């Protein structure tokens, strides 16, 4: 088997890339180590920027998204007993959309398969070679047998734990890493959201976030120690903590229900540079990780492959390689913008394990500064709603 682009990983990056290439008449095969049901139900964050939604619609993958997503014109920050709304629509005329990543993956898989783009599930990539020649090969294992996929180029869209990042050449490579001294306990609840918009709560005991998946399902997060065991959190303990961190506000109650999922999520910021080594390109989580506080992960995956697909198109249509050379720099501007924003939101809203009374008071002052001025709210809104898809 030989294709133009071999894609490792069927997450948002790999699936969007396969679609963009197909629309340009460029052949690809997607190799995914997990099963189709697994990737279609894996729980992840679920916030899409306008630029991502526009691209999903333009590529014909937005039919269910348009019907089922929850558009949000603003968010609320809660701290020091105060509620402050950041009205993105009024400030910058933009909004964001809540739609679970696994729902997006379901839609992307369906559209690609219907168009005849091959997605091989339970096909675990073990290694690749030849990226410095003109015939790279991807080696994978499926149904107990070894296979080789010959391609012109390899797109490593296999996330942080994949092989593309692991085996990316070391020469000239620089990794930037920041692991936070806390994690998030995430729960999924059969209960309507406490509020129609997201609530980001700063509290001395730790951060809390109230988000949602649908009008009947809430998604909630609590800052916890990084190595926390989710089983240490009984339902009573969880609800008490959410009530404390939300605080008392008229007309606002923690909305309780059956907890259907509970797990602890690691928080880290990470970038590897460059994102290309000869005929191997990294895109999405294989090249960078953001803490979920700004919900940028899926959006960065989509913007990387938008830039990458343009480079493949220029090459296959005109023989031009300048966009391959520009790939890393074109992505990194946006990646670092999102890194800074995610780190800033994280550090402004979370309580460090060794935080002093001064630190907490200073955070409240920062939140008051941001929410108390139009320019502060605008800065937050512009970054939250997303930088342009291509910078
Ligand atoms: N062979 C084949 N597939 C692999 C391998 C391998 N060796 N290793 C990992 N994969 C698959 C994973 O099973 C996963 O389905 O690669 C896929 C990578 O997808 P994501 O982790 O969703 O990464 P990406 O597409 O870059 O999307 C980033 O995902 O982690 C979230 O918050 C993050 O929202 C962001 C988004
Ligand atoms: C989510 O809905 O999972 C979500 C939303 C916003 C965030 C993080 C997670 O900042």
């Amino acid at each position: 088997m030989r294709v133009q682009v071999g894609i490792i990983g069927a997450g948002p990056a790999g699936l969007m890339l396969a679609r963009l290439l197909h629309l340009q008449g460029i052949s690809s095969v997607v190799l995914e180590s997990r099963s189709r049901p697994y990737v279609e139900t894996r729980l992840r964050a679920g916030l899409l920027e306008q630029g991502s939604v526009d691209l999903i619609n333009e590529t014909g993958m937005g039919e269910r998204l348009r019907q089922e997503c929850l558009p949000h014109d603003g968010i609320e920050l809660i701290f020091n007993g105060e509620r402050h709304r950041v009205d993105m629509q009024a400030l910058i005329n933009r909004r964001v959309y809540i739609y679970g990543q696994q729902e997006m993956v379901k839609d992307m898989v369906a559209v690609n398969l219907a168009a005849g783009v091959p997605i091989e599930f339970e096909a675990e990539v073990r290694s690749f070679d030849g990226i410095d020649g003109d015939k790279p090969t991807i080696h994978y294992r499926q149904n107990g047998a070894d296979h080789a996929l010959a391609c012109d180029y390899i797109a490593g869209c296999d996330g942080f734990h994949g092989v593309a990042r692991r085996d990316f050449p070391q020469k000239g490579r620089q990794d930037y890493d920041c692991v936070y001294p806390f994690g998030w306990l995430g729960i999924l609840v059969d209960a309507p959201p406490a509020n129609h918009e997201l609530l980001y709560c700063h509290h001395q005991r730790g951060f809390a976030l109230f988000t949602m998946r649908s009008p009947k399902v809430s998604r909630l997060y609590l800052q916890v120690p990084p190595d926390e065991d989710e089983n240490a959190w009984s339902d009573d303990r969880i609800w008490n903590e959410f009530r404390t961190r939300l605080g008392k506000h008229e007309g606002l109650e923690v909305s309780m229900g059956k907890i259907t999922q509970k797990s602890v999520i690691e928080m880290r910021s990470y970038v590897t540079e460059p994102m290309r080594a000869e005929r191997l390109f990294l895109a999405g989580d294989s090249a960078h990780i953001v803490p979920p506080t700004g919900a940028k992960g899926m959006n960065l995956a989509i913007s990387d492959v938008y830039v990458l697909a343009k480079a493949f198109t220029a090459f296959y249509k005109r023989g031009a390689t300048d966009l391959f050379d520009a790939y890393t720099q074109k992505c990194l501007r946006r990646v670092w913008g999102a890194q800074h924003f995610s780190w800033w939101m994280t550090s402004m809203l979370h309580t460090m394990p060794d935080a002093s009374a001064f630190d907490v008071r200073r955070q409240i002052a920062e939140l008051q500064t941001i929410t108390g001025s139009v320019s502060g709210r605008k800065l937050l809104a512009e970054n939250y709603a997303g930088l342009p898809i291509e910078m």
Side-chain angles (χ1 to χ4, degrees), residues 43-48 75 96-101 184 198 200 207 209-213 218-221 265 291-296 341 345 384:
L43 197 58
R44 294 271 180 79
L47 188 141
L48 287 164
I75 56 168
V96 297
Y97 301 81
I98 288 285
Y99 191 64
Q101 182 169 313
W184 277 9
L198 272 59
Y200 288 82
F207 171 70
L209 171 60
F210 294 76
T211 171
M212 63 205 69
R213 283 296 170 271
S218 304
R219 177 83 171 133
L220 310 184
Y221 300 100
I265 302 155
T293 325
K296 294 285 168 228
F341 176 67
M345 284 285 277
Y384 191 90

Side-chain angles (χ1 to χ4, degrees), residues 247-351:
K248 291 207 184 320
H249 307 274
E250 215 184 300
L252 194 57
E253 293 284 337
V254 174
S255 169
M256 295 191 298
K258 184 168 183 261
I259 298 176
T260 57
Q261 206 269 355
K262 182 166 72 171
S263 62
V264 173
I265 302 155
E266 186 197 37
M267 304 273 286
R268 94 189 287 154
S269 299
Y270 169 87
V271 182
T272 188
E273 297 182 14
M275 290 167 62
R276 172 206 176 188
E278 306 290 346
R279 286 176 178 249
L280 169 66
F281 295 87
L282 300 180
D285 271 19
S286 70
H288 40 71
I289 295 279
V290 283
T293 325
K296 294 285 168 228
M298 182 162 39
N299 300 288
L300 284 180
I302 289 174
S303 55
D304 283 355
V305 297
Y306 176 75
V307 175
L308 185 54
K310 274 192 160 180
F312 282 129
T313 304
F315 175 72
Y316 284 110
K317 299 260 148 98
R318 306 194 305 275
T321 55
D322 54 325
L323 293 185
F324 286 154
D325 299 335
Y327 174 65
T328 293
Q329 285 317 317
K330 271 188 174 285
C331 292
L332 282 184
R333 181 108 189 261
R334 192 177 200 278
V335 166
W336 277 106
Q339 284 293 355
H340 173 257
F341 176 67
S342 306
W343 169 88
W344 177 53
M345 284 285 277
T346 303
S347 56
M348 185 162 62
L349 288 162
H350 290 70
T351 307

Side-chain angles (χ1 to χ4, degrees), residues 201-251:
C201 309
H202 170 276
H203 194 277
Q204 190 152 6
R205 291 180 62 83
F207 171 70
L209 171 60
F210 294 76
T211 171
M212 63 205 69
R213 283 296 170 271
S214 75
K216 290 184 179 160
V217 177
S218 304
R219 177 83 171 133
L220 310 184
Y221 300 100
L222 276 179
Q223 177 186 344
V224 293
D227 46 6
E228 190 74 329
D229 176 3
E230 55 256 22
N231 297 317
W233 287 81
S234 66
D235 288 13
D236 274 355
R237 185 175 176 206
I238 288 175
W239 295 124
N240 280 336
E241 203 60 36
F242 275 113
R243 272 193 293 266
T244 305
R245 295 190 193 183
L246 177 65
K248 291 207 184 320
H249 307 274
E250 215 184 300

Side-chain angles (χ1 to χ4, degrees), residues 359-381:
D359 295 329
V360 175
R361 192 61 196 85
R362 187 201 55 73
Q363 278 180 316
I364 291 169
E366 184 176 12
L367 286 158
Q368 282 167 334
T369 305
I370 292 298
T371 54
S373 88
V374 174
S375 35
R377 290 195 298 276
K378 251 189 171 164
L379 177 73
L380 199 150

Side-chain angles (χ1 to χ4, degrees), residues 9 11-13 32-34 42 44 101 125 157-158 284-285 297-298:
E32 166 58 50
S33 57
R34 302 288 193 161
R42 183 169 42 194
R44 294 271 180 79
Q101 182 169 313
V125 173
C157 302
D158 49 347
D285 271 19
M298 182 162 39

Side-chain angles (χ1 to χ4, degrees), residues 117-130:
V117 175
I119 306 176
E120 298 293 332
F121 290 101
E122 297 176 70
E124 191 196 351
V125 173
R126 299 285 179 87
S127 64
F128 51 83
D129 52 43

